[in-house]
Structures are given as structure tokens and as C-alpha cells.
Amino acid sequence: ISLDDEQIIQHDKSYESGIERHLQIINVLDDAKSFNDFICKLAIQMEISISVGVEKIQAKTLTIGGNLLKGKSPKSTEKFMFKQVFFISCVSICCEGNKIFHLDLQHGKLIKEAKQELSKLFSREDITICIHDAKESLKILLESGICSNFSNLKLMDPRLASWIVHPDEILKWNAIIEKSLPQHAELM
């Protein structure tokens, strides 16, 4: 099985915009072969783009007798938590044009190995990482325990670039794409 075959997440065939012809989303934490192929591809990259998926922990509703638990928060089973109510659900990495390598950090089989590789990635001196809102994203990766060293990191931040071009506007990711790359707005 290669990354291009069975590991590609299938898109709904009724979606007619053509996005599925342009992007391949590959879940690399389901088996060792896919993960190793991904690591080999990542090792030779000089520039990548990363997106960090964050979710809020769903509060459990208290029932009769719930006031007895006052002051005690329920134990969460999510990995890579930060600020006590959020967790990193996934990291997506684009390093080969139309291929997006998806790392499901909550349900994947190789989560421990993925954490080690992400930590190595962020300590590499020979790579440039493009990450939206780099300050917040790096802070989240640090607080969650995924990474601990960013001292040699070279970054590109589309949000900062947008602010330099449009200093009077604070644009969200979708607005940056619509304003700067309208031909790719359908990908949003």
C-alpha cells in the first residue's frame, strides 16, 4: 500500500467544485508504512506549511447529585491539552504541493511517534515553516507539550505578512485568501 492508494481520504463525489481533484489528504498515523513514508518525505523538505487543529473539551452536564462534584473537574482523556479546556486534535502538513499529510493526534495509532517527529521537525535548522498566526500556534504547541524548542526555527506567517501589507486591517485566514488569492477562495 502506498500513500497514494488506500490512505487517501475519499471525498464526496457529488461535490462538483473540483477541489477533490486538486488535494489529497493522507492520514499517516493509521499504519507504520504510511507513517515511515511520510517521515522520509518530510526529511528532505526545505519548506513546509503546517496547520494546527484545536478543539475545546466538551463539558459534561451534571445530573442529580452533580453538586457533590462541585470544584472537581471531570478527567479528560484528550491528549495534548492546554489551558485546561483545549486540546490539539490534529496537525496537517503540506510539503508536496497538493498532498496534505494529516496527523490525527487523538485517534491515530502512532501518536507517540508523531509527537517525537513533530518535536524534531520544529528543532530543524534547515527548514522553513509557513504557519498562520505563528505566535499563537507555537504557543499552543509549547503549552500542549508537543514541542519544547523553537530556537532555530525559520518561519513565514501569512497573518503577519497580511498585516504588513494592510496595517489598518486585521484579517482572518479566509479574508486573507479571498483578498490575496481569490482564485483559491473555493478551497476555503
Side-chain angles (χ1 to χ4, degrees), residues 12-24:
D12 181 2
K13 299 298 181 195
S14 64
Y15 188 58
E16 294 297 326
S17 77
I19 292 172
E20 67 275 359
R21 290 183 303 225
H22 301 291
L23 295 178
Q24 292 179 330

Side-chain angles (χ1 to χ4, degrees), residues 12 16 20 24 27 34-37 51 56 81 87 93-96 104 127 132 138 142 152-153 156 166 174 176 184:
D12 181 2
E16 294 297 326
E20 67 275 359
Q24 292 179 330
N27 190 352
S34 296
F35 184 70
N36 289 333
D37 288 348
S51 177
K56 187 173 184 178
M81 289 182 54
F87 64 94
I93 299 175
C94 181
C95 59
E96 289 190 344
D104 182 343
I127 194 165
H132 180 258
L138 296 178
L142 184 65
N152 298 318
L153 195 58
M156 292 190 298
H166 308 286
N174 291 358
I176 292 171
H184 298 294

